[in-house]
Amino acid sequence: MQIIISNSSKEPIYEQITNQIKSLILAGELQEGTAVPSMRKLAKDLRISVITTKRAYEELEKEGFIYSIVGKGSFVAEQNLELMREKKLKVIEEQLIAVITNSREIGLSLDELQQLLKILYEE
Amino acid sequence: MENVVELKSVTKNFKGFSVENIDLQVKKGFVTGFIGANGAGKSTTIKMIMNLLRPDSGEVKLFGLDYTAHEKEIKERIGFVYDSNVFFEGMNLKDIKRIVAPAYKHWDDTLFYQYTDQFKLPLYKKIKTFSKGMQMKASLAIALSHHAELIIMDEPTAGLDPIFRRELLDLLQELMIDGNRTIFFSTHITTDLDRIADYIAFIQNGELVFNQSLNDVAENYALVKGGMELLDRDTEKSFVHIHRAPTGFEALTGNIKAVKNTFGDSVVIEKASLEDIMYYFKGGIHHV
Amino acid sequence: MFNLIRRDVILQKRLLLTFLPFILFFIFMDVHPTVTFLVANIFIPYNAFYYDEKAETNILLNSLPYTRKEIIGSRYLGAIVYMVLAVGVTSLALFALNKPFTMTDIAVGSGLFLLFAALTFPLFYILKPGHITTVILFSFILLVGIGPPIMSFLAEHLTAITDFVANLSLPVLYTGAVLAIVTLYGVSWGVTTMIYQRKSF
């Protein structure tokens, strides 16, 4: 499991960990039922304190990404990928509506907006 | 969560200095860093935890036991490293081991030689020929060789070169993997703590300012920068200490939410390092 | 406890090599056997104090799983153990060199040692480190140097006491002396333990 944390980032370290593990799960790199390293092992590997990995795992557990069995460790939970995708899509829709509203305000045409989106997407 | 060390309203008075009403818990399975300026009361507190000093009032418990009835049992489970050499200077490490080892029921010779090997410590050279770093490594090798559950260290990284400091932190992290060990150590090099401490206990002028998890410290404390016009008697209340300059103020807050509510986007809020926190609590500088 | 007593030997490993020459010196100088026994008895326990004074031994010992009672106990018991050993070695040396000595020499030498120990051991825990060795050295010279003249002075002038002592039969006198020394040693042990338990390091 590859995780890269940055000490100079504004994002707290535990959040960097949760986000990266989430992405790994959503991208299918971490399959359901796979064991994730114990929080103490992960802390040592990342050279950070145990309380930070503990916090990250607690968040992941709360959001249903992993589950823990006492004495055995933590594992990737079953994910309803379809549902997640739908949720994400809804968020994207809302954000796009906001973009459209803003564009209309400054008189940006659909063509121009599409072009802008194309450039940014391919960046 | 289980507390390995518990101090309840512990007070100790000396001429011209006292440690007052300390309530301190050290949680099992975690690293607690004990910070404070020189003379703030770190060593006094550690000595009371080790029963080298008796508090004038209050209660000291280790592993839920008190010293009057369970002194041996408690010390059997502690590994200690002090900032000065407490071993006989004229002796070599092998002889010191001969004196210390029989004191412990669970002394592990194999483990001891593994550490002396790892730390490249000569067994037949007098301790007084050791550098400060080597003396510390020797103390550490002894402290770790009897399967102690609690490791207490007074300024272990002082006088160590940066490379060994890192090696030491790696080693301590390795010790923490099984989850049964607890480490309590004092330091004034706060960068050591950013990496391995789970809890920070901060003492100043003989009083415990806080004992919080590293996350809570990061969530509560921050540096706030803004224009002088924002400060008045009410808004100043959100700060521990304010440093004023013609270009604006810089202050430490212990309540980020309150600052956000009061000032909104008119101020810059930045992460406060432990050093910042210690500095502002001390009162900072008052001139520009 | 045994470990604490054994500790003194490990600590003095090198110094112990000088023990025999030290004793032989006294023997060749034809010092009275009583005095030879006395200095032989003093050698190990007082050197131990000298070593401990230099290091932060109290911090070390009190951080190890020992109680303060045991630490003091090891001093008082250790002194007796090392006294027995020293008496043995010294007797052998005297015997090998064909120097005559009596049981009385051993008894008086050891008795004086215990008396001296009982009086000075507490000082090691009262006085500040650094001054202790000087004080002990001084009191030893006092004991050996002006002790006997004082005794003879007392003997001449306080006839009531000397008459009383002289009238006692030898067995009673010895038993009395042994009891007095043992009591004093015990009291000293108790007092030192009390002092030590209140100390801060």
Side-chain angles (χ1 to χ4, degrees), chain B residues 229-271:
Chain B
E229 74 282 356
L230 296 170
L231 294 178
D232 61 42
R233 250 205 289 172
D234 271 342
T235 57
E236 279 177 14
K237 279 184 190 149
S238 347
F239 300 117
V240 171
H241 183 80
I242 303 167
H243 172 218
R244 295 157 208 268
T247 45
F249 76 89
E250 197 177 310
L252 181 79
T253 179
N255 191 345
I256 298 180
K257 266 190 204 144
V259 166
K260 277 185 182 158
N261 281 338
T262 319
F263 298 105
D265 287 338
S266 59
V267 290
V268 175
I269 300 179
E270 270 180 1
K271 196 179 172 236

Side-chain angles (χ1 to χ4, degrees), chain C:
Chain C
M1 190 88 106
F2 168 71
N3 295 322
L4 280 169
I5 296 174
R6 203 182 62 131
R7 179 184 80 96
D8 291 339
V9 179
I10 301 175
L11 211 56
Q12 298 181 36
K13 231 173 20 177
R14 288 225 176 75
L15 202 69
L16 279 177
L17 297 175
T18 63
F19 181 69
L20 210 57
F22 179 76
I23 299 301
L24 290 177
F25 171 77
F26 277 87
I27 296 175
F28 283 125
M29 292 297 285
D30 265 333
V31 174
H32 195 280
T34 305
V35 178
T36 311
F37 279 113
L38 176 60
V39 291
N41 288 336
I42 282 177
F43 194 87
I44 296 177
Y46 283 86
N47 268 318
F49 276 116
Y50 175 67
Y51 269 84
D52 283 355
E53 203 188 334
K54 283 196 293 188
E56 298 201 59
T57 310
N58 285 317
I59 292 185
L60 173 64
L61 292 184
N62 281 289
S63 301
L64 293 172
Y66 292 122
T67 61
R68 295 189 180 200
K69 244 187 216 154
E70 285 175 327
I71 294 168
I72 295 304
S74 76
R75 276 276 170 256
Y76 279 82
L77 276 182
I80 295 174
V81 170
Y82 289 122
M83 182 182 85
V84 172
L85 291 175
V87 163
V89 172
T90 313
S91 306
L92 276 177
L94 285 166
F95 190 70
L97 292 166
N98 260 330
K99 302 276 181 184
F101 66 98
T102 60
M103 278 308 282
T104 318
D105 295 328
I106 296 180
V108 176
S110 300
L112 278 177
F113 162 70
L114 290 178
L115 186 68
F116 184 59
L119 295 174
T120 53
F121 277 12
L123 292 179
F124 284 102
Y125 301 97
I126 297 172
L127 296 171
K128 280 205 179 85
H131 304 294
I132 302 164
T133 320
T134 333
V135 171
I136 302 302
L137 213 65
F138 187 70
S139 50
F140 180 69
I141 293 166
L142 217 67
L143 181 79
V144 180
I146 62 168
I150 289 178
M151 287 304 277
S152 48
F153 175 83
L154 287 178
E156 273 172 40
H157 293 86
L158 294 170
T159 38
I161 296 176
T162 43
D163 280 351
F164 171 70
V165 173
N167 279 334
L168 292 174
S169 63
L170 265 187
V172 175
L173 188 69
Y174 281 149
T175 321
V178 167
L179 275 179
I181 288 173
V182 167
T183 312
L184 199 66
Y185 199 71
V187 169
S188 167
W189 187 335
V191 168
T192 307
T193 306
M194 260 169 54
I195 296 169
Y196 197 64
Q197 277 181 327
R198 283 170 202 201
K199 262 182 102 87
S200 299
F201 302 109

Side-chain angles (χ1 to χ4, degrees), chain A residues 59-117:
Chain A
E59 298 279 324
L60 286 170
E61 230 172 281
K62 214 161 59 188
E63 293 175 40
F65 283 92
I66 61 169
Y67 63 92
S68 299
I69 303 174
V70 179
K72 282 201 164 170
S74 305
F75 303 89
V76 176
E78 185 188 348
Q79 299 298 320
N80 192 336
L81 290 177
E82 241 355 90
L83 195 78
M84 289 232 192
R85 204 181 143 77
E86 252 168 61
K87 269 192 200 161
K88 279 257 172 196
L89 265 174
K90 206 158 182 246
V91 173
I92 294 171
E93 228 168 78
E94 277 166 17
Q95 286 168 334
L96 281 176
I97 289 170
V99 168
I100 293 165
T101 320
N102 277 331
S103 306
R104 282 191 179 135
E105 273 176 21
I106 60 163
L108 208 65
S109 75
L110 180 61
D111 267 356
E112 282 168 313
L113 187 62
Q114 271 173 337
Q115 230 168 6
L116 186 65
L117 185 66

Side-chain angles (χ1 to χ4, degrees), chain B residues 14-68:
Chain B
F14 296 103
K15 273 181 215 146
F17 173 71
S18 62
V19 169
E20 299 260 354
N21 243 330
I22 300 266
D23 283 295
L24 175 71
Q25 291 93 35
V26 177
K27 298 212 164 41
K28 186 180 172 180
F30 291 98
V31 178
T32 299
F34 191 30
I35 60 170
N38 289 329
K42 295 194 298 281
S43 288
T44 304
T45 307
I46 286 185
K47 281 183 174 178
M48 287 196 281
I49 294 174
M50 286 303 295
N51 202 30
L52 297 174
L53 266 181
R54 306 255 156 99
D56 296 338
S57 63
E59 191 184 270
V60 177
K61 275 193 171 171
L62 278 90
F63 312 105
L65 306 168
D66 74 56
Y67 270 114
T68 31

